[in-house]
Amino acid sequence: CALPLAQARPDLPAELLSLSSPALVFSACKRSERNDGVIIRFWNIGGAVEPTELRWGLPYSRCERVELSEEPSAKPAPRELAPGHFALQVQPYEIVTLKLSDN
């Protein structure tokens, strides 16, 4: 699953977001309610645990799991593999909400 950006501006990445697992469906990308980051949401349409890698095309240094309400989640944060590149496990039919931010 990938969310491509129009290539009208060469200073922007080709993709804003990509998920490595085809069983994950991207459902939302929006500014957080507190204007302190970006919220992305996707869900696992399959009945198996899906390991996935998320690539984010813009410079955010922090990725954390949050609840639908955007409050912090008790679930573990995605593991950072490189700047803008994170790994996580998604449970069967789970809706994942992540907050990307600079702080």
Side-chain angles (χ1 to χ4, degrees), residues 70-94:
E70 300 182 18
E71 294 300 317
S73 172
K75 294 182 180 180
R79 184 171 46 95
E80 184 174 24
L81 302 175
H85 186 188
F86 303 92
L88 66 152
Q89 298 277 332
V90 183
Q91 298 303 309
Y93 311 109
E94 179 182 19

mmCIF file of all heavy atoms in Angstrom, residues 70-94:
data_model
loop_
_atom_site.group_PDB
_atom_site.id
_atom_site.type_symbol
_atom_site.label_atom_id
_atom_site.label_comp_id
_atom_site.label_asym_id
_atom_site.label_seq_id
_atom_site.Cartn_x
_atom_site.Cartn_y
_atom_site.Cartn_z
ATOM 1 N N GLU A 70 -6.222 9.754 19.852
ATOM 2 C CA GLU A 70 -4.905 10.371 19.718
ATOM 3 C C GLU A 70 -4.161 10.493 21.042
ATOM 4 O O GLU A 70 -3.110 11.125 21.132
ATOM 5 C CB GLU A 70 -4.957 11.716 18.982
ATOM 6 C CG GLU A 70 -5.499 11.591 17.581
ATOM 7 C CD GLU A 70 -5.510 12.887 16.804
ATOM 8 O OE1 GLU A 70 -4.812 13.849 17.184
ATOM 9 O OE2 GLU A 70 -6.221 12.931 15.780
ATOM 10 N N GLU A 71 -4.685 9.860 22.084
ATOM 11 C CA GLU A 71 -3.979 9.786 23.366
ATOM 12 C C GLU A 71 -2.949 8.659 23.273
ATOM 13 O O GLU A 71 -3.122 7.720 22.499
ATOM 14 C CB GLU A 71 -4.965 9.521 24.511
ATOM 15 C CG GLU A 71 -5.942 10.663 24.748
ATOM 16 C CD GLU A 71 -5.247 11.965 25.095
ATOM 17 O OE1 GLU A 71 -4.295 11.956 25.888
ATOM 18 O OE2 GLU A 71 -5.666 13.015 24.554
ATOM 19 N N PRO A 72 -1.872 8.711 24.064
ATOM 20 C CA PRO A 72 -0.840 7.666 23.999
ATOM 21 C C PRO A 72 -1.423 6.270 24.238
ATOM 22 O O PRO A 72 -2.349 6.090 25.018
ATOM 23 C CB PRO A 72 0.116 8.046 25.132
ATOM 24 C CG PRO A 72 -0.073 9.518 25.289
ATOM 25 C CD PRO A 72 -1.531 9.772 25.012
ATOM 26 N N SER A 73 -0.855 5.304 23.550
ATOM 27 C CA SER A 73 -1.272 3.910 23.658
ATOM 28 C C SER A 73 -0.288 3.144 24.536
ATOM 29 O O SER A 73 0.895 3.488 24.603
ATOM 30 C CB SER A 73 -1.311 3.274 22.265
ATOM 31 O OG SER A 73 -1.528 1.893 22.351
ATOM 32 N N ALA A 74 -0.765 2.091 25.174
ATOM 33 C CA ALA A 74 0.104 1.218 25.963
ATOM 34 C C ALA A 74 0.865 0.242 25.068
ATOM 35 O O ALA A 74 1.793 -0.421 25.526
ATOM 36 C CB ALA A 74 -0.738 0.457 26.985
ATOM 37 N N LYS A 75 0.489 0.142 23.799
ATOM 38 C CA LYS A 75 1.162 -0.775 22.878
ATOM 39 C C LYS A 75 2.551 -0.247 22.544
ATOM 40 O O LYS A 75 2.778 0.969 22.536
ATOM 41 C CB LYS A 75 0.340 -0.939 21.608
ATOM 42 C CG LYS A 75 -0.973 -1.620 21.866
ATOM 43 C CD LYS A 75 -1.753 -1.809 20.605
ATOM 44 C CE LYS A 75 -3.071 -2.499 20.922
ATOM 45 N NZ LYS A 75 -3.870 -2.702 19.712
ATOM 46 N N PRO A 76 3.491 -1.157 22.254
ATOM 47 C CA PRO A 76 4.860 -0.706 21.962
ATOM 48 C C PRO A 76 4.941 0.150 20.698
ATOM 49 O O PRO A 76 4.210 -0.073 19.737
ATOM 50 C CB PRO A 76 5.644 -2.001 21.798
ATOM 51 C CG PRO A 76 4.634 -3.069 21.584
ATOM 52 C CD PRO A 76 3.344 -2.595 22.185
ATOM 53 N N ALA A 77 5.830 1.106 20.739
ATOM 54 C CA ALA A 77 6.053 1.985 19.579
ATOM 55 C C ALA A 77 6.725 1.194 18.472
ATOM 56 O O ALA A 77 7.445 0.230 18.735
ATOM 57 C CB ALA A 77 6.924 3.166 19.987
ATOM 58 N N PRO A 78 6.516 1.586 17.228
ATOM 59 C CA PRO A 78 7.245 0.963 16.123
ATOM 60 C C PRO A 78 8.757 1.132 16.322
ATOM 61 O O PRO A 78 9.214 2.123 16.886
ATOM 62 C CB PRO A 78 6.766 1.732 14.895
ATOM 63 C CG PRO A 78 5.426 2.252 15.284
ATOM 64 C CD PRO A 78 5.547 2.575 16.752
ATOM 65 N N ARG A 79 9.506 0.174 15.852
ATOM 66 C CA ARG A 79 10.971 0.203 15.958
ATOM 67 C C ARG A 79 11.537 0.993 14.783
ATOM 68 O O ARG A 79 11.208 0.721 13.629
ATOM 69 C CB ARG A 79 11.491 -1.234 15.950
ATOM 70 C CG ARG A 79 12.974 -1.380 16.142
ATOM 71 C CD ARG A 79 13.357 -2.850 16.346
ATOM 72 N NE ARG A 79 12.716 -3.746 15.397
ATOM 73 C CZ ARG A 79 13.262 -4.165 14.270
ATOM 74 N NH1 ARG A 79 14.474 -3.770 13.930
ATOM 75 N NH2 ARG A 79 12.615 -4.987 13.472
ATOM 76 N N GLU A 80 12.370 1.964 15.079
ATOM 77 C CA GLU A 80 12.963 2.768 14.012
ATOM 78 C C GLU A 80 14.113 1.998 13.369
ATOM 79 O O GLU A 80 15.024 1.541 14.044
ATOM 80 C CB GLU A 80 13.466 4.101 14.544
ATOM 81 C CG GLU A 80 14.002 4.992 13.443
ATOM 82 C CD GLU A 80 14.386 6.382 13.918
ATOM 83 O OE1 GLU A 80 14.674 6.548 15.109
ATOM 84 O OE2 GLU A 80 14.402 7.287 13.076
ATOM 85 N N LEU A 81 14.055 1.834 12.062
ATOM 86 C CA LEU A 81 15.112 1.160 11.312
ATOM 87 C C LEU A 81 16.089 2.166 10.717
ATOM 88 O O LEU A 81 17.271 1.891 10.585
ATOM 89 C CB LEU A 81 14.496 0.314 10.190
ATOM 90 C CG LEU A 81 13.504 -0.757 10.642
ATOM 91 C CD1 LEU A 81 12.868 -1.431 9.438
ATOM 92 C CD2 LEU A 81 14.167 -1.765 11.554
ATOM 93 N N ALA A 82 15.571 3.320 10.336
ATOM 94 C CA ALA A 82 16.342 4.430 9.762
ATOM 95 C C ALA A 82 15.422 5.642 9.846
ATOM 96 O O ALA A 82 14.229 5.489 10.114
ATOM 97 C CB ALA A 82 16.719 4.125 8.311
ATOM 98 N N PRO A 83 15.920 6.849 9.624
ATOM 99 C CA PRO A 83 15.026 8.008 9.662
ATOM 100 C C PRO A 83 13.840 7.826 8.694
ATOM 101 O O PRO A 83 14.027 7.532 7.514
ATOM 102 C CB PRO A 83 15.926 9.166 9.234
ATOM 103 C CG PRO A 83 17.295 8.735 9.665
ATOM 104 C CD PRO A 83 17.314 7.242 9.414
ATOM 105 N N GLY A 84 12.631 7.933 9.227
ATOM 106 C CA GLY A 84 11.425 7.789 8.416
ATOM 107 C C GLY A 84 11.079 6.365 8.033
ATOM 108 O O GLY A 84 10.183 6.136 7.231
ATOM 109 N N HIS A 85 11.751 5.372 8.614
ATOM 110 C CA HIS A 85 11.561 3.959 8.274
ATOM 111 C C HIS A 85 11.374 3.179 9.578
ATOM 112 O O HIS A 85 12.283 3.129 10.409
ATOM 113 C CB HIS A 85 12.777 3.479 7.501
ATOM 114 C CG HIS A 85 12.671 2.095 6.968
ATOM 115 N ND1 HIS A 85 13.727 1.468 6.395
ATOM 116 C CD2 HIS A 85 11.648 1.207 6.920
ATOM 117 C CE1 HIS A 85 13.383 0.254 6.017
ATOM 118 N NE2 HIS A 85 12.120 0.088 6.321
ATOM 119 N N PHE A 86 10.189 2.590 9.756
ATOM 120 C CA PHE A 86 9.830 1.938 11.011
ATOM 121 C C PHE A 86 9.299 0.529 10.765
ATOM 122 O O PHE A 86 8.738 0.257 9.706
ATOM 123 C CB PHE A 86 8.744 2.753 11.734
ATOM 124 C CG PHE A 86 9.150 4.169 12.009
ATOM 125 C CD1 PHE A 86 8.855 5.180 11.108
ATOM 126 C CD2 PHE A 86 9.843 4.500 13.151
ATOM 127 C CE1 PHE A 86 9.233 6.491 11.338
ATOM 128 C CE2 PHE A 86 10.231 5.804 13.400
ATOM 129 C CZ PHE A 86 9.920 6.800 12.497
ATOM 130 N N ALA A 87 9.445 -0.339 11.766
ATOM 131 C CA ALA A 87 8.931 -1.710 11.681
ATOM 132 C C ALA A 87 7.970 -1.951 12.843
ATOM 133 O O ALA A 87 8.185 -1.466 13.951
ATOM 134 C CB ALA A 87 10.083 -2.712 11.759
ATOM 135 N N LEU A 88 6.902 -2.700 12.564
ATOM 136 C CA LEU A 88 5.956 -3.065 13.612
ATOM 137 C C LEU A 88 5.186 -4.310 13.215
ATOM 138 O O LEU A 88 5.172 -4.705 12.053
ATOM 139 C CB LEU A 88 4.996 -1.920 13.933
ATOM 140 C CG LEU A 88 4.009 -1.475 12.857
ATOM 141 C CD1 LEU A 88 2.775 -0.899 13.532
ATOM 142 C CD2 LEU A 88 4.614 -0.429 11.972
ATOM 143 N N GLN A 89 4.545 -4.931 14.210
ATOM 144 C CA GLN A 89 3.686 -6.098 14.007
ATOM 145 C C GLN A 89 2.240 -5.623 14.140
ATOM 146 O O GLN A 89 1.906 -4.896 15.070
ATOM 147 C CB GLN A 89 3.948 -7.150 15.096
ATOM 148 C CG GLN A 89 5.348 -7.695 15.121
ATOM 149 C CD GLN A 89 5.537 -8.813 14.112
ATOM 150 O OE1 GLN A 89 4.614 -9.514 13.768
ATOM 151 N NE2 GLN A 89 6.757 -8.958 13.638
ATOM 152 N N VAL A 90 1.386 -6.070 13.236
ATOM 153 C CA VAL A 90 -0.026 -5.690 13.268
ATOM 154 C C VAL A 90 -0.851 -6.956 13.460
ATOM 155 O O VAL A 90 -0.729 -7.911 12.688
ATOM 156 C CB VAL A 90 -0.439 -4.955 11.968
ATOM 157 C CG1 VAL A 90 -1.893 -4.507 12.053
ATOM 158 C CG2 VAL A 90 0.481 -3.756 11.725
ATOM 159 N N GLN A 91 -1.657 -6.970 14.505
ATOM 160 C CA GLN A 91 -2.472 -8.135 14.837
ATOM 161 C C GLN A 91 -3.618 -8.306 13.828
ATOM 162 O O GLN A 91 -3.995 -7.361 13.144
ATOM 163 C CB GLN A 91 -3.041 -7.987 16.256
ATOM 164 C CG GLN A 91 -1.973 -7.904 17.336
ATOM 165 C CD GLN A 91 -1.056 -9.109 17.322
ATOM 166 O OE1 GLN A 91 -1.513 -10.259 17.330
ATOM 167 N NE2 GLN A 91 0.245 -8.871 17.298
ATOM 168 N N PRO A 92 -4.189 -9.513 13.757
ATOM 169 C CA PRO A 92 -5.306 -9.740 12.831
ATOM 170 C C PRO A 92 -6.442 -8.736 13.080
ATOM 171 O O PRO A 92 -6.831 -8.521 14.237
ATOM 172 C CB PRO A 92 -5.757 -11.158 13.152
ATOM 173 C CG PRO A 92 -4.563 -11.815 13.766
ATOM 174 C CD PRO A 92 -3.841 -10.719 14.501
ATOM 175 N N TYR A 93 -6.917 -8.118 12.038
ATOM 176 C CA TYR A 93 -8.043 -7.174 12.050
ATOM 177 C C TYR A 93 -7.803 -5.933 12.908
ATOM 178 O O TYR A 93 -8.733 -5.190 13.184
ATOM 179 C CB TYR A 93 -9.332 -7.878 12.475
ATOM 180 C CG TYR A 93 -9.561 -9.158 11.706
ATOM 181 C CD1 TYR A 93 -9.428 -10.394 12.323
ATOM 182 C CD2 TYR A 93 -9.855 -9.132 10.342
ATOM 183 C CE1 TYR A 93 -9.598 -11.566 11.613
ATOM 184 C CE2 TYR A 93 -10.020 -10.301 9.626
ATOM 185 C CZ TYR A 93 -9.894 -11.517 10.267
ATOM 186 O OH TYR A 93 -10.058 -12.672 9.557
ATOM 187 N N GLU A 94 -6.579 -5.694 13.296
ATOM 188 C CA GLU A 94 -6.254 -4.549 14.154
ATOM 189 C C GLU A 94 -6.257 -3.252 13.358
ATOM 190 O O GLU A 94 -5.777 -3.190 12.230
ATOM 191 C CB GLU A 94 -4.873 -4.739 14.781
ATOM 192 C CG GLU A 94 -4.454 -3.578 15.670
ATOM 193 C CD GLU A 94 -3.064 -3.742 16.268
ATOM 194 O OE1 GLU A 94 -2.270 -4.552 15.756
ATOM 195 O OE2 GLU A 94 -2.781 -3.031 17.236
#
